[in-house]
Amino acid sequence: MPQLKPALTYDQQIDRLKNVHNLSIVDDAAALEILKKVNYYRLSAYGLGLSKKEDKEKYIDGISLEHIYRLYEFDSIFRNMLIHVIEQLEIQLRTQISNFLALTYGSEGYVDPAHFTDKKTKTGESVHATVMESFNKERDHQKNAPFVKHHMDKYEGHFPVWVAIELFTFGNLSSLYSIMVLDDRKEIARLYNTEPKYLGSWILALVEIRNICAHYSRLYNMPLKQTPHLYPEYQKYRVGTLNKVFPALLCIKRMLNSDERWCSFETQLEALIDEYSDVVRLSFMGFPKEWKEILSKK
């Protein structure tokens, strides 16, 4: 195994950043305070795309530690904004899906695989069985939560779907939607004025971004795994093979139907980008030049 790098003191880190990585540090005391707040390994990810072509170990002349820290600050605020709006969509989806399943198949109809398609995971397991197993584990994990204890004691462990759905992860909610029969998926998609193939991919994209935000991971300049289906007029905003965050914003806008929640998010986003315009490269997030007009268009 290759030998791990030795630990460095803060002073040694500052010296290395200056002399090995060509990072501009004028005030060592200020740099020290930054490194005490956020370790350099996390910060260094925000330097991707800012290195010299001829030597990737060195930053472009003039790039400072403050520059990289401001990118980190921007990303942190951006993620907090996004997770708030995704939370609202997630709760709405839980409401719509559980309400539909309850009225269509009964309060416990969700436990019957006959009400869903027989879709398999990559390892050949039933998606429905996997979702139910995850639900049971979460139920046991939260056995002391008042609503769980109530249903275990009073109803002998039977949970109506509108209660059970609160124990589903967002990923499990996405899986549940994916195995609903086509006509059922159409009914949910119709609530968002779209079709199942679009809504299913949008939910997957939101799950990925939500998990990034929840784990404080980097979203700025991060290639995403999920590729949401976009309507023809938006296809041009997917740049090359890299999937960045802008297409997901288009999906959120569509799901919120440009209501007051979207308008509030859009206003905050414009203000945030203006505040950090000295460091943020919008192309790193897949934003086109006319992004303001696209996001504000009804």
Side-chain angles (χ1 to χ4, degrees):
M1 184 184 77
Q3 189 173 1
L4 293 173
K5 295 178 180 179
L8 300 177
T9 66
Y10 288 125
D11 289 339
Q12 289 172 326
Q13 289 179 43
I14 292 171
D15 181 69
R16 183 175 178 82
L17 292 174
K18 287 180 181 178
N19 299 311
V20 176
H21 297 297
N22 193 44
L23 199 62
S24 174
I25 297 178
V26 177
D27 186 340
D28 285 12
L32 176 62
E33 291 307 310
I34 289 174
L35 293 174
K36 284 182 177 180
K37 292 176 186 175
V38 187
N39 83 59
Y40 181 67
Y41 184 77
R42 177 179 286 268
L43 281 177
S44 64
Y46 294 93
L48 293 174
L50 301 177
S51 58
K52 293 183 176 182
K53 290 182 179 179
E54 66 276 12
D55 187 350
K56 298 298 182 182
E57 283 292 309
K58 296 184 181 296
Y59 287 101
I60 299 167
D61 292 345
I63 297 296
S64 66
L65 183 61
E66 288 78 8
H67 180 118
I68 294 174
Y69 182 67
R70 278 180 61 74
L71 285 175
Y72 161 79
E73 285 186 320
F74 166 83
D75 194 43
S76 178
I77 298 169
F78 181 47
R79 293 195 315 268
N80 284 335
M81 289 169 51
L82 264 177
I83 200 169
H84 177 65
V85 75
I86 290 173
E87 175 192 1
Q88 296 173 60
L89 284 171
E90 179 183 347
I91 290 172
Q92 185 179 51
L93 279 164
R94 288 178 188 274
T95 302
Q96 300 293 354
I97 291 173
S98 63
N99 185 60
F100 177 84
L101 291 175
L103 294 175
T104 306
Y105 301 109
S107 60
E108 262 192 306
Y110 69 99
V111 303
D112 188 348
H115 297 147
F116 301 88
T117 60
D118 187 23
K119 187 177 178 181
K120 304 293 185 183
T121 66
K122 291 180 180 179
T123 57
E125 298 172 274
S126 161
V127 172
H128 181 268
T130 301
V131 169
M132 289 299 101
E133 181 182 1
S134 179
F135 160 70
N136 289 331
K137 286 181 178 178
E138 187 62 21
R139 178 200 61 201
D140 294 342
H141 179 67
Q142 296 200 40
K143 62 184 178 181
N144 292 323
F147 79 98
V148 174
K149 196 172 187 305
H150 172 72
H151 282 81
M152 293 299 292
D153 295 343
K154 185 171 183 178
Y155 298 104
E156 299 179 346
H158 292 270
F159 288 71
V161 64
W162 56 87
V163 176
I165 207 81
E166 296 300 318
L167 294 171
F168 281 38
T169 66
F170 197 9
N172 283 336
L173 185 69
S174 174
S175 295
L176 189 69
Y177 178 75
S178 75
I179 60 173
M180 290 170 68
V181 298
L182 181 57
D183 285 345
D184 293 352
R185 283 186 285 124
K186 283 181 177 179
E187 288 299 318
I188 301 299
R190 192 173 290 121
L191 298 169
Y192 297 93
N193 299 308
T194 190
E195 302 166 35
K197 72 172 184 178
Y198 288 104
L199 181 60
S201 74
W202 297 351
I203 296 172
L204 282 172
L206 294 186
V207 169
E208 180 181 11
I209 293 173
R210 182 265 176 207
N211 289 341
I212 288 173
C213 295
H215 292 93
Y216 320 116
S217 300
R218 176 172 55 93
L219 189 56
Y220 177 79
N221 198 22
M222 173 63 79
L224 302 173
K225 296 178 182 177
Q226 297 298 330
T227 304
H229 287 298
L230 298 179
Y231 282 90
E233 63 269 26
Y234 287 152
Q235 287 290 347
K236 59 185 176 182
Y237 302 124
R238 177 168 291 115
V239 182
T241 57
L242 291 180
N243 183 35
K244 297 298 182 69
V245 72
F246 187 76
L249 296 185
L250 298 175
C251 301
I252 292 172
K253 176 188 176 185
R254 181 88 183 203
M255 291 180 73
L256 290 176
N257 197 27
S258 296
D259 67 9
E260 67 277 2
R261 293 171 297 175
W262 172 256
C263 293
S264 175
F265 173 81
E266 181 199 347
T267 299
Q268 292 177 51
L269 179 60
E270 286 193 23
L272 178 65
I273 290 174
D274 285 345
E275 182 180 351
Y276 287 87
S277 60
D278 58 318
V279 294
V280 168
R281 296 191 183 187
L282 292 173
S283 61
F284 282 16
M285 299 193 295
F287 279 53
K289 292 181 180 178
E290 67 276 24
W291 67 273
K292 287 185 180 181
E293 291 79 7
I294 298 166
L295 295 184
S296 62
K297 184 178 180 181
K298 297 295 183 182

